[in-house]
């Protein structure tokens, strides 16, 4: 039951949600445009509210490894960062995927490559959905497009992280992180006691008691046959996630002759572009992937039977468009439109681009 | 005629003089015969056993020769990325302050790739214990130069000896971290003789006891041989260690109860 309404920044909503869902530990390192997460958490004194630990690490490398240590103990742990910082975390993310450790990560994406810019971008799609670190692994990637979803996806993230014992990436961007909107706040949930952790997560390293074998958390296995088996099990898990966890939103798709596919800030812009197009008599809908991985490929495949063209809108050089192309399997033309380097396109630009690519041409 | 001692006599409980601690598994150690790691494992596990801490201890070993430590230490363990063990331990101890937490790290791990994690965990005064095995070489990967490799010492990546101008100086990281206000007990030990082993074991116990005081990080360096990496017999390597390693890495306490020991 939603209890309380507040006006908050996306980053603050994410931080408040962390306290409310009973997170045990947050470990982070400052980077624009997401520093409000740790600033909010330290100001809120969550150690007094719930006993939550908040620690500023010496680097993103250390922060992600603190998550590895905490998650190994069955604790709910999280971090947040922005693109260059998330690049530094890739080693630890790969280890956590390999060791099957749950955690929630937030990337408030900014423009790259390199130090890039502090303005919003969506150019980390490849990194999040295709690997990022080494080895055959996947992250569940969920993309909020409102401040409310920045709040809600913390709980959703932990639900999925512990269900599948895997790291979750909440893929936001500088606009969603910095903008203020009203947020419905849930009631405070309790953190798990040690007894509850031992009961719920029998794999956790809580200290070897006489009633069980020792628990070992590792991503290492020097025996190739056993290690291949571990990889096969990981892939089975990923197939199950693809089968069960795809989430998306359809907007004005019923009569659509053209389709925008966009997430996060781009999806919000497309809502206005739909209106502009429809005023001109062009029937456009929006398919918003909520899970970027697993990607909603079946619904996009189905929509390709209905529409004459699909425009992927992403603040990048065109990353998600590759997954759309794979989903559509050549049934209809697929084009990409995006701005880069921290530029947010205008709804008019997007609407004009749809016309230019599919109608005027 | 003197009584003959039979096997049956030897294994009588009243004749028991030594028993492997239950906190070491029966798995055959992966360490080279003659290496100090086995003894270091033993004294740490014996100490935890004597203090009845098995059920509340979490050990963390990262990459290096001790990467498989979890196969030998009969406690809950986490295997960390190269150099990152102090970051893991920081979170474990902060999230479960009542537990006993230690890392077990080699010199390449602790003093090269993990320098930042080591220094900052020490400087924050995290209440866990670091066991640091310093043999001046990367053993696991085949004997490459380490941050602690001595001047002139040969390794597979300093085949003509460490040249200070070209390769920089060996790092006395233990002296360095002892300067930090977050460390409470810092000592350097060895395990090459029975007397040294007894002393080192006392240091291990002290470190674990002091961890319980929550006054900061406790740090035990164990200078060890690497007979394989140094390309010597075990006996030769121990002599070489005493003659060459000990003058540069002198034995004894460096910091006691938060105060530097005056030499």
């Amino acid at each position: 039951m939603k209890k309380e309404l507040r006006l908050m920044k996306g980053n603050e909503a994410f931080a408040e949600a962390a306290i409310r869902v009973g997170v045990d530990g947050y470990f982070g390192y400052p980077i624009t445009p997401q520093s409000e997460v740790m600033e909010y958490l330290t100001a809120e004194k969550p150690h007094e509210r719930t006993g939550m630990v908040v620690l500023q690490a010496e680097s993103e490398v250390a922060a992600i490894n603190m998550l590895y240590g905490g998650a190994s103990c069955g604790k709910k742990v999280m971090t947040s960062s922005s693109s260059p910082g998330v690049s530094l975390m890739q080693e630890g993310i790969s280890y956590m995927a390999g060791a099957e450790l749950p955690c929630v990560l937030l990337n408030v994406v900014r423009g790259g490559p390199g130090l890039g810019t502090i303005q919003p971008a969506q150019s980390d799609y490849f990194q999040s959905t295709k690997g990022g670190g080494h080895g055959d692994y996947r992250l569940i990637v969920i993309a909020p497009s409102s401040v409310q979803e920045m709040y809600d996806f913390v709980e959703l993230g932990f639900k999925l992280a512990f269900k599948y014992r895997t790291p979750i990436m909440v893929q936001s961007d500088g606009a969603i992180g910095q903008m203020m909107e009203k947020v419905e706040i849930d009631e405070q949930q309790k953190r798990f006691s040690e007894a509850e952790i031992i009961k719920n997560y029998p794999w956790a390293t809580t200290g070897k008691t006489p009633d069980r074998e020792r628990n070992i958390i590792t991503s290492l296995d020097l025996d190739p046959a056993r290690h291949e088996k571990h990889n096969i099990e990981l892939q089975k898990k990923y197939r199950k996630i693809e089968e069960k966890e795809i989430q998306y939103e359809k907007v004005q798709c019923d009569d659509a002759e053209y389709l925008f596919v966009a997430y996060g800030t781009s999806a919000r812009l497309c809502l206005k572009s739909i209106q502009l197009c429809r005023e001109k008599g062009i029937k456009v809908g929006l398919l918003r992937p909520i899970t970027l991985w697993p990607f909603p490929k079946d619904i996009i495949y189905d929509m390709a039977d209905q529409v004459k063209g699909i425009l992927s809108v992403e603040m990048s050089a065109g990353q998600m468009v590759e997954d759309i192309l794979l989903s559509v399997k050549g049934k209809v033309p697929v084009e990409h439109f995006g701005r880069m380097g921290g530029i947010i396109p205008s709804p008019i630009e997007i609407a004009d681009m749809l016309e230019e690519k599919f109608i005027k041409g | 005629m003197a009584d003959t001692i039979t096997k049956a006599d030897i294994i009588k409980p009243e004749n028991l003089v030594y028993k492997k601690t239950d906190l070491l598994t029966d798995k055959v150690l992966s360490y080279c015969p003659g290496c100090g790691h086995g003894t270091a494992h033993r004294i740490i596990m014996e100490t935890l056993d004597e203090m009845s801490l098995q059920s509340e201890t979490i050990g963390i070993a990262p990459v290096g020769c001790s990467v498989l430590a979890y196969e030998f230490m009969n406690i809950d363990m986490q295997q960390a990325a190269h150099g990152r063990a102090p970051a893991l331990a920081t979170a474990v101890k902060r999230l479960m302050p009542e537990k006993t937490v230690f890392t077990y790290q080699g010199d390449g791990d602790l003093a090269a790739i993990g320098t930042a994690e080591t220094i900052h965990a020490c400087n924050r005064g995290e209440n866990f214990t670091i066991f640091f095995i310093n043999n001046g070489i990367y053993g696991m990967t085949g004997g490459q130069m380490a941050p602690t490799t001595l001047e002139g010492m040969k390794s597979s990546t300093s085949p003509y000896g460490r040249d200070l101008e070209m390769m920089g100086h060996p790092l006395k990281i233990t002296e360095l971290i002892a300067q930090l206000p977050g460390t409470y007990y810092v000592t350097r030990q060895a395990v090459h003789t029975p007397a040294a082993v007894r002393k080192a074991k006392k240091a291990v116990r002290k470190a674990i006891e002091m961890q319980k005081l929550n006054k900061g990080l406790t740090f035990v360096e164990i200078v060890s041989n690497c007979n394989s990496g140094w390309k010597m017999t075990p006996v030769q390597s121990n002599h070489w260690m005493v003659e060459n390693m000990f003058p540069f890495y002198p034995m004894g306490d460096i910091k006691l109860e938060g105060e530097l020991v005056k030499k």
Side-chain angles (χ1 to χ4, degrees):
Chain A
M1 192 170 59
K2 305 283 182 187
K3 285 287 177 193
E4 191 187 335
L5 271 183
R6 280 198 211 166
L7 183 66
M8 301 181 100
K9 275 190 173 192
N11 290 334
E12 294 168 347
F14 188 83
E16 178 63 28
I19 302 172
R20 296 275 171 152
V21 305
V23 167
D24 297 299
Y26 170 93
F27 304 90
Y29 186 84
I31 183 169
T32 308
Q34 66 75 51
S35 296
E36 293 85 359
V37 177
M38 191 162 36
E39 287 170 354
Y40 184 93
L41 284 172
T42 47
E44 277 296 309
K45 297 184 180 174
H47 53 280
E48 288 177 9
R49 282 175 61 181
T50 66
M52 176 183 176
V53 169
V54 178
L55 182 64
Q56 181 168 335
E58 61 270 31
S59 66
E60 288 90 348
V61 175
I64 191 70
N65 281 284
M66 289 172 184
L67 262 62
Y68 184 111
S72 297
C73 301
K75 299 284 186 180
K76 273 186 184 167
V77 287
M78 67 191 299
T79 188
S80 58
S81 189
S82 180
S83 310
V86 176
S87 290
L88 277 173
M89 291 184 182
Q90 293 303 324
E91 173 199 56
I93 294 172
S94 167
Y95 275 68
M96 292 186 82
E100 300 194 80
L101 292 172
C103 68
V104 171
L105 317 159
L106 169 66
N107 185 358
V108 183
V109 180
R110 58 189 251 185
L115 201 51
T117 175
I118 59 171
Q119 302 299 328
Q122 295 180 305
S123 44
D124 295 355
Y125 180 93
F126 283 157
Q127 186 189 56
S128 306
T129 63
K130 307 291 178 192
H134 59 283
D136 279 319
Y137 75 92
R138 293 287 193 171
L139 292 181
I140 298 178
V141 185
I142 44 182
S145 75
S146 66
V147 175
Q148 184 67 54
E149 284 186 342
M150 285 286 276
Y151 183 93
D152 294 339
F153 285 3
V154 175
E155 185 164 21
L156 172 66
F158 277 108
K159 201 184 99 197
L160 294 169
F162 277 91
K163 183 174 174 187
Y164 294 103
R165 278 186 66 182
T166 193
I168 305 294
M169 176 69 79
V170 178
Q171 179 106 339
S172 184
D173 62 61
I176 307 282
Q178 292 295 326
M179 71 166 70
M180 294 186 90
E181 284 184 312
K182 76 174 179 198
V183 190
E184 287 185 11
I185 305 279
D186 293 307
E187 280 182 57
Q188 180 65 51
Q189 296 177 35
K190 271 198 179 137
R191 290 172 53 236
F192 281 157
S193 67
E194 185 170 322
E196 285 168 318
I197 286 172
I198 290 168
K199 185 171 164 281
N200 296 337
Y201 314 125
W203 46 265
T205 53
T206 49
K208 186 208 168 307
T209 42
D211 56 335
R212 67 159 169 86
E213 289 299 302
R214 67 196 196 282
N215 283 340
I216 295 163
I217 302 291
T218 182
S219 61
L220 175 78
D221 198 332
L222 294 173
D223 177 336
R226 265 200 325 249
H227 194 54
E228 185 184 46
K229 202 168 156 241
H230 170 62
N231 267 277
I232 290 168
E233 290 304 317
L234 284 179
Q235 292 304 316
K236 273 189 200 159
K237 173 165 84 176
Y238 299 143
R239 296 296 85 76
K240 195 171 162 195
I241 293 168
E242 284 182 313
E243 199 183 299
K244 306 241 182 218
E245 305 299 347
I246 288 172
Q247 286 193 41
Y248 57 85
E249 184 191 15
K250 279 163 97 175
V251 182
Q252 290 185 267
C253 282
D254 289 349
D255 64 343
E257 293 174 357
Y258 297 92
L259 186 67
F260 291 127
V261 180
Y263 61 92
T265 290
S266 292
R268 295 174 71 108
L269 298 168
C270 285
L271 293 178
K272 182 68 181 172
S273 307
I274 289 173
Q275 192 192 329
L276 295 171
C277 287
R278 283 180 178 262
E279 281 166 10
K280 288 187 182 175
I282 306 164
K283 290 176 183 167
V284 191
L286 167 69
L287 189 288
R288 173 169 80 95
I290 294 171
T291 51
L292 303 185
W293 194 90
F295 191 68
K297 51 181 187 246
D298 291 346
I299 183 68
I300 292 174
Y301 179 79
D302 291 345
M303 286 298 296
D305 290 329
Q306 179 190 324
V307 299
K308 296 176 196 164
I310 296 176
L311 185 65
S312 175
V313 183
E314 188 184 47
M315 296 182 310
S316 75
Q319 301 192 9
M320 180 179 65
V321 67
E322 293 190 2
D323 282 333
I324 300 170
L325 282 162
L326 285 170
S327 306
V328 166
K329 295 181 180 166
K331 284 203 278 187
V332 286
V334 176
E335 297 283 351
H336 161 77
F337 174 65
R339 299 291 300 269
M340 294 176 282
I343 301 284
I344 300 175
S346 76
I348 299 167
E349 269 183 287
I350 296 169
D352 287 350
M353 195 53 66
L354 182 94
E355 263 193 275
E356 193 184 310
K357 298 256 189 198
F358 297 113
I359 299 163
K360 285 180 185 161
Chain B
M1 201 173 83
D3 290 341
T4 311
I5 300 172
T6 65
K7 190 181 168 191
D9 294 324
I10 293 169
I11 61 170
K12 279 180 184 162
E14 62 266 31
N15 289 333
L16 184 72
V17 291
Y18 174 76
K19 183 176 174 288
K20 178 177 76 68
T21 166
D22 290 338
L23 265 64
L24 283 172
T25 66
D26 291 331
K27 180 104 182 169
V28 176
L29 293 175
S30 54
Y31 305 109
C32 305
C35 157
H37 268 298
T39 311
H41 276 33
R42 177 168 69 76
I43 60 176
I44 295 167
M45 290 298 113
E46 281 177 354
T47 302
L48 293 170
D49 194 5
E50 286 156 17
M51 296 172 77
S52 304
L53 292 175
Q54 184 189 33
S55 65
E56 62 166 78
T57 300
I58 289 111
I60 299 160
V63 173
C65 285
S66 58
V67 71
L68 293 171
Y70 59 77
E71 296 210 344
F72 315 123
M73 296 179 173
N74 187 17
I75 52 171
D76 277 4
M77 287 206 74
Q78 303 178 9
Q79 192 278 317
H82 201 11
R84 317 299 178 217
L88 274 66
T90 293
V92 173
K93 188 70 181 191
R94 286 196 178 229
L95 291 163
M96 303 195 297
E98 71 288 357
K99 304 285 181 188
T100 302
V101 181
F102 72 86
T103 68
Y104 185 99
Q105 305 175 249
D107 43 80
D109 188 83
L110 181 139
I113 195 166
T115 312
E117 287 77 9
T118 302
I119 298 256
H120 285 280
C122 289
N123 197 47
R124 286 191 302 262
E126 303 291 347
N127 293 308
F128 63 84
T129 302
I130 293 178
F131 297 114
F132 167 41
I133 310 297
N134 176 11
N135 56 18
I137 206 156
Y138 286 82
M140 182 65 141
T141 43
Q144 292 82 13
M145 183 177 69
T148 48
T149 299
L150 298 176
E151 181 181 6
M153 189 173 164
K154 286 181 181 170
S155 75
S156 67
T157 51
S158 58
Y160 307 106
R162 184 176 194 147
D163 176 338
L164 296 189
E165 286 210 5
M166 199 193 292
M167 301 160 182
H169 295 259
L171 180 59
K172 291 187 178 183
I173 190 136
T174 307
E175 276 79 359
L176 204 151
I177 66 107
Q179 302 293 323
L180 303 173
T183 50
Y184 189 65
Y185 173 53
V186 180
T187 188
R188 183 181 285 122
Q189 303 290 329
V191 290
H192 63 306
T193 64
V197 172
R198 278 194 291 275
K199 264 186 160 172
K201 192 173 167 185
K202 275 185 192 158
V204 167
R205 182 162 186 128
K206 194 171 192 167
I208 301 287
E209 283 172 354
M210 293 201 168
Q211 181 182 148
K212 294 294 175 193
L213 300 175
N214 292 326
K215 288 193 172 174
L217 195 132
T218 48
F219 190 102
V220 181
E221 174 180 343
I222 295 174
V223 177
S224 177
N225 62 333
C226 176
N227 39 289
S228 302
W230 297 354
K231 308 207 183 311
M232 296 174 194
T233 67
V235 174
Q236 280 171 344
S237 69
N238 276 330
H239 287 311
W240 192 90
M241 176 175 74
V242 172
E243 285 162 17
N244 297 277
M245 296 282 278
F246 288 9
F248 193 79
Y249 300 114
M251 293 293 110
D253 294 334
I254 300 169
K255 196 174 195 180
L256 280 171
E257 296 179 10
E259 298 290 332
L260 287 169
V261 175
K262 290 193 175 68
K263 301 274 175 183

